């Protein structure tokens, strides 16, 4: 089993109540590291690309890198486009072969969001892909998308109606979570996750994973957060491992790029493995 749809992977994790880790990868090295962790742990995994990463490479090159590196991987892997308000980037990634997209239209009023998300769901269906929907915005800027303002919270009825009318396969609720490191302890509305899953049967995506505790992850996963997003932890691991390696390199005066890459890759593998164990996705590959 290698590349699987978002719906298949989340149906499995929702029913078995574990979280599929969704890592925002940055380049070939971080893709390789996350896949190596998934193979080692026998864990399903989602590789997410921000719009910034898609634009940095171009969708064709990024998709080719993904296809090359996923070859021979025998655990379920899903390629997902994270927060994307741009219909042209959505269409481009869907045409190219991404398995799913987060159409982030929270800045539109809810009726227009419903109308456009319904269109995106139909567009995705035509390529065998799926859609994560969002109506409130998640606090914090992620790769240039989003805002630091506290999002307006919608009622359970509005959110349920959005999920049912659009037919999204996954939903990203605002529950007091935020992108980036938390500056104060988050106060999470756990009950909202339970209520939404009970009302719709649709799996939830937990955004703002970096900085949450194992107990918080496991509680939210038990309530139906079947997809758990990690971005900041990967970025910090990648850059800090590079910094400490280069600091040592400067002292030694031996400059060997492959040793730097190996150190960064191992640090990202270790970070990903830890999350797979925390989310209880280890051993869940089917
Ligand atoms: P963090 O950067 O807080 O891990 O959040 C990731 C995320 O939710 C990506 O959409």
């Amino acid at each position: 089993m290698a590349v699987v749809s978002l719906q298949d992977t989340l149906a499995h994790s929702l029913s078995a109540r574990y979280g599929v880790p969704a890592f925002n990868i940055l380049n070939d090295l971080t893709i390789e590291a996350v896949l190596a962790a998934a193979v080692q742990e026998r864990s399903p995994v989602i590789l997410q690309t921000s719009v910034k990463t898609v634009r940095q490479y171009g969708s064709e090159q990024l998709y080719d890198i993904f296809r090359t590196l996923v070859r021979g991987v025998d655990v379920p892997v899903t390629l997902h486009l994270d927060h994307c308000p741009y219909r042209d980037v959505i269409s481009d990634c869907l045409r190219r072969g991404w398995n799913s997209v987060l159409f982030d239209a929270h800045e539109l009023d809810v009726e227009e969001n419903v109308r456009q998300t319904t269109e995106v769901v139909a567009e995705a269906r035509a390529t065998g892909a799926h859609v994560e929907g969002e109506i409130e915005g998640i606090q914090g800027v992620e790769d240039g998308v989003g805002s630091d303002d506290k999002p307006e919270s919608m009622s359970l009825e509005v959110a349920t109606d959005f999920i049912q009318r659009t037919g999204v396969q996954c939903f990203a609720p605002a529950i007091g979570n935020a992108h980036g490191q938390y500056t104060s302890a988050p106060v999470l509305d756990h009950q909202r996750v339970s209520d939404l899953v009970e009302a719709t049967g649709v799996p939830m995506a937990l955004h703002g994973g970096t900085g949450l505790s194992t107990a918080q992850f496991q509680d939210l996963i038990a309530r139906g957060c079947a997809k758990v997003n990690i971005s900041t932890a990967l970025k910090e691991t990648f850059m800090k491992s590079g910094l400490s390696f280069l600091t040592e390199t400067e002292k030694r005066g031996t400059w060997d790029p492959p040793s730097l890459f190996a150190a960064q890759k191992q640090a990202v593998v270790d970070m990903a493995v830890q999350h797979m164990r925390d989310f209880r996705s280890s051993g869940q590959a089917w």
Side-chain angles (χ1 to χ4, degrees), residues 183-236:
T183 49
S184 57
V187 180
L188 299 173
D189 185 355
H190 305 223
Q191 190 55 40
R192 188 146 197 255
V193 174
S194 302
D195 292 345
L196 283 166
V197 174
E198 193 187 332
T200 65
V202 167
M204 299 293 124
L206 175 59
H207 284 251
T210 300
L212 297 183
S213 67
T214 305
Q216 285 170 319
F217 284 132
Q218 291 184 354
D219 174 53
L220 291 164
I221 289 166
R223 292 168 185 271
C225 285
K227 170 177 182 277
V228 185
N229 290 4
I230 299 291
S231 176
T232 302
L234 187 149
K235 285 179 185 158
E236 291 189 0

